[in-house]
Amino acid sequence: MEAKEKNIEDKLFCMKRKIWALIIYVLQAIILVLMLGAFGSNRWVSHGDGDYKWTGGLLRVPTGPAEWEDVEYIDMAESCDKLFIPCDVFKSLRSGGAAFCFFEVMAYMSTIVWMTKITFMILQRPFLNNLMVYFWPGIGLGFHILAEIIWSGVTKAKFDGNCKNIEGDELCSTQGPALFLAITCFYIVAFALFIVFYIKRFE
């Protein structure tokens, strides 16, 4: 006979199971909000100095010299012969940004499915089987980390980079990558709590 899951109002360690579920739910909500913040951030990289300092988002240059502002990397790469910066810089930013967006959207969708599972657990309603429960947060975290690995590998941006040379090709990581690291920490904590919470649902 299959074991029956504990009531959401029963205690797990020192708190009700419902409180544990709500903590995970809040962490998931924070993760989703931060993901949107990372997507919308205009500060993923910076380069140059003085009048030629500019910042880059995932897909475009939001701030910099007047003729560069709000220009997408794909267009910057095509007119790089008029700039001080090697074409490869904008080509790598375009490729890295596109790859990041793809994998991060996949991570976002996986996180929503995982959040839906927690919602159903709070309501004590069935949703997903046992194996799929671990699949969605696992694949979400995997896609999330893969997005950053590809972006960092393609753009070669660094937190401690020397990017003030206006004719150089080195990029400095700024707020976007830092926000990504915060998301990763929240994701790992939420996933770990979820594993413990789910494993002990019968105890």
Side-chain angles (χ1 to χ4, degrees), residues 2-169:
E2 187 177 350
K4 185 178 179 181
E5 291 191 23
K6 291 288 187 179
N7 189 288
I8 199 70
E9 298 295 337
D10 292 344
K11 280 193 173 183
L12 174 62
F13 301 124
C14 58
M15 294 188 296
K16 288 184 178 180
R17 294 170 186 271
K18 188 173 185 177
I19 301 300
W20 285 109
L22 288 173
I23 290 172
I24 297 168
Y25 189 87
V26 169
L27 288 172
Q28 291 170 329
I30 292 172
I31 289 166
L32 292 175
V33 170
L34 291 179
M35 280 182 172
L36 290 177
F39 274 123
S41 175
N42 288 330
R43 296 183 58 84
W44 273 77
V45 296
S46 65
H47 183 276
D49 196 20
D51 293 337
Y52 291 97
K53 182 175 181 179
W54 56 275
T55 61
L58 282 172
L59 300 173
R60 62 187 179 88
V61 177
T63 60
E67 64 273 20
W68 297 7
E69 289 187 2
D70 289 323
V71 179
E72 294 184 359
Y73 294 134
I74 189 170
D75 296 321
M76 295 289 284
E78 291 174 355
S79 61
C80 57
D81 56 321
K82 302 175 184 177
L83 309 174
F84 296 108
I85 307 168
C87 299
D88 289 344
V89 171
F90 296 108
K91 290 178 180 178
S92 65
L93 283 169
R94 178 188 62 187
S95 300
F100 181 92
C101 288
F102 173 78
F103 287 108
E104 194 70 345
V105 165
M106 298 298 289
Y108 195 90
M109 293 171 63
S110 300
T111 306
I112 289 177
V113 176
W114 178 31
M115 194 174 191
T116 303
K117 173 59 182 178
I118 286 292
T119 303
F120 273 72
M121 290 186 78
I122 292 173
L123 298 174
Q124 293 197 293
R125 296 289 187 271
F127 179 71
L128 300 179
N129 60 35
N130 292 348
L131 292 178
M132 295 302 291
V133 163
Y134 299 108
F135 173 79
W136 290 107
I139 199 172
L141 180 59
F143 276 134
H144 176 68
I145 293 174
L146 183 61
E148 178 63 10
I149 290 174
I150 292 175
W151 183 87
S152 298
V154 172
T155 64
K156 297 181 173 60
K158 302 176 182 177
F159 283 107
D160 58 350
N162 179 19
C163 52
K164 292 189 176 182
N165 180 7
I166 62 173
E167 296 184 6
D169 61 356

